Amino acid sequence: NVTAGNVSILNVVITNFYDGTDLNTINYTTGFCRIAENATISSVKIKNNKITNTRAFVFAGALTDDYNPDTTIIINDLLVTGNIFNSTPLPINFNCPVVNSKVTENTFKNVIGASRTVAAVRIFVDGLVFNSPIYDTLENCVVSNNNFHTVINRTTTGDSSTGNNYECHAVQVSANNATVTGNTITDVTGVNFDCEAIYVKAKRYTITGNTLYNSGSIEGAINCKGTTLT
């Protein structure tokens, strides 16, 4: 657990850090690095790591709630670059306010799990409206030049029409200014309605130059909620 300061995870190789359980709303306790409640973190740098068959790599939020954001956590700067994630159902999950974030030039393969949300990159404050004071703190989020291959939510028990809101995304981000560009996304599927390759909730956003194959469901491959689209 990390509660303050800076976080740097560089050039780490992890294999088979897994307890055999699926992700669910009451068990986020197995993971390599967790940013705990009430933490104020100046910067998080995740660079040049190789992660294979690991249940969760880096996540921020409550151990028993995968929906409501933990607004007691504040991260000022987040950089994720040069990593390879394989068979890791929760690679990057920040369910808290992140002021500035950049995720670039990573590879995500076989992001497969059973959970309320399965997402390769999740920097998201779920359930908050745009006029929430929290949104004023979320400045910029950039997701660029990543490769995503196979993101699957195996959950069969619900979707947004039943109020359970089970989701599956390659990219799920929220910010004042969000940019998603230059990514290649292949095979993002699930058994639920809320399945999109790119899901952005932002006041202003730019989505350009992405290549999508077999990604999305009846709601579309790209889902945008906000005020201004470039």
Side-chain angles (χ1 to χ4, degrees):
N1 277 11
V2 179
T3 59
N6 299 317
V7 178
S8 293
I9 306 176
L10 313 175
N11 304 305
V12 171
V13 177
I14 303 174
T15 303
N16 298 329
F17 191 83
Y18 211 111
D19 63 0
T21 62
D22 274 318
L23 308 171
N24 56 65
T25 59
I26 60 171
N27 185 12
Y28 278 91
T29 58
T30 301
F32 180 76
C33 178
R34 173 178 177 251
I35 297 173
E37 295 96 334
N38 300 301
T40 298
I41 307 296
S42 297
S43 70
V44 178
K45 182 182 292 185
I46 303 167
K47 185 176 181 180
N48 296 338
N49 302 289
K50 187 174 182 180
I51 312 302
T52 304
N53 195 34
T54 296
R55 187 176 186 271
F57 186 48
V58 179
F59 63 104
L63 292 175
T64 59
D65 191 338
D66 58 0
Y67 175 71
N68 294 298
D70 190 334
T71 57
T72 71
I73 300 172
I74 298 174
I75 298 171
N76 289 310
D77 288 287
L78 169 65
L79 173 65
V80 183
T81 185
N83 303 283
I84 299 174
F85 300 98
N86 191 5
S87 300
T88 298
L90 193 66
I92 302 297
N93 184 358
F94 287 81
N95 190 25
C96 67
V98 180
V99 178
N100 288 290
S101 59
K102 186 174 184 179
V103 181
T104 186
E105 297 182 351
N106 303 280
T107 297
F108 300 86
K109 298 188 293 185
N110 301 316
V111 180
I112 302 171
S115 178
R116 180 195 171 275
T117 299
V118 172
V121 174
R122 187 170 189 258
I123 306 169
F124 202 69
V125 285
D126 215 340
L128 298 181
V129 296
F130 287 119
N131 61 0
S132 165
I134 296 297
Y135 263 92
D136 291 334
T137 69
L138 310 178
E139 294 182 5
N140 301 294
C141 179
V142 177
V143 181
S144 63
N145 303 316
N146 301 283
N147 290 302
F148 300 89
H149 304 284
T150 309
V151 182
I152 298 174
N153 192 341
R154 294 187 287 99
T155 299
T156 60
T157 56
D159 55 61
S160 60
S161 65
T162 62
N164 292 322
N165 231 11
Y166 288 96
E167 302 180 45
C168 180
H169 314 286
V171 177
Q172 184 182 22
V173 297
S174 54
N176 266 309
N177 304 288
T179 300
V180 182
T181 184
N183 301 285
T184 299
I185 303 173
T186 304
D187 294 329
V188 179
T189 60
V191 295
N192 43 57
F193 291 121
D194 290 320
C195 176
E196 301 94 14
I198 299 170
Y199 178 22
V200 175
K201 186 176 181 181
K203 292 184 178 180
R204 294 168 293 277
Y205 45 87
T206 299
I207 301 174
T208 183
N210 301 285
T211 303
L212 280 58
Y213 302 97
N214 188 34
S215 296
S217 67
I218 60 174
E219 290 194 346
I222 301 174
N223 188 347
C224 303
K225 295 180 180 180
T227 58
T228 304
L229 170 66
T230 300

